[in-house]
Amino acid sequence: AGTASVLGCDVARDAHRARQLIGLTGQYAPVGELLSGFNNLVMVGRLLGIPRRQAKARAGELLERFGLSEAARRPAKSYSTGAGTVTVSVPDRGMLPPLVRELDGHGIAIEESALRKATLDEVFLALTGDHPPATARPEIPR
């Protein structure tokens, strides 16, 4: 029950226009992560029907506004999502519940967790303290 509007646009009566006003770009779009931040914004603008020249100008404005001008040409996949990802190795799965309780006791919330087995590279590094040898690449005649 009730009503909702975006910049004066009724979202029930004109959902398409409301979506245009909001502007959304996905964080995990497969194509989007290959593009630079600038080109990603231009692509989204073009998908919203904004003419190319105007989309490029707006992309530049947005990057400037959010302090990302220096990162405009880097691939979007290299941008930080703002999350301090932490990886913790535990020798025994039984240690996980006390670890979670300890973090919780310090007010550190866990948003996502996963259990996985170590890779061969990680095992090699743990046992030898050295990096694994690089895979040999054959010479390609020119």
Side-chain angles (χ1 to χ4, degrees), residues 61-112:
E61 291 169 12
L62 290 170
L63 288 165
E64 179 72 28
R65 179 177 178 183
F66 292 101
L68 294 171
S69 294
E70 291 181 19
R73 300 291 175 207
R74 284 194 353 240
K77 69 180 177 181
S78 71
Y79 290 3
S80 169
T81 61
T85 297
V86 177
T87 302
V88 178
S89 297
V90 290
D92 178 7
R93 287 183 180 200
M95 294 176 67
L96 196 54
L99 176 62
V100 171
R101 285 192 294 274
E102 181 74 19
L103 290 170
D104 189 49
H106 289 283
I108 300 171
I110 297 177
E111 294 185 18
E112 184 178 329

Side-chain angles (χ1 to χ4, degrees), residues 24 55 75 85 128:
L24 171 69
T85 297
T128 66

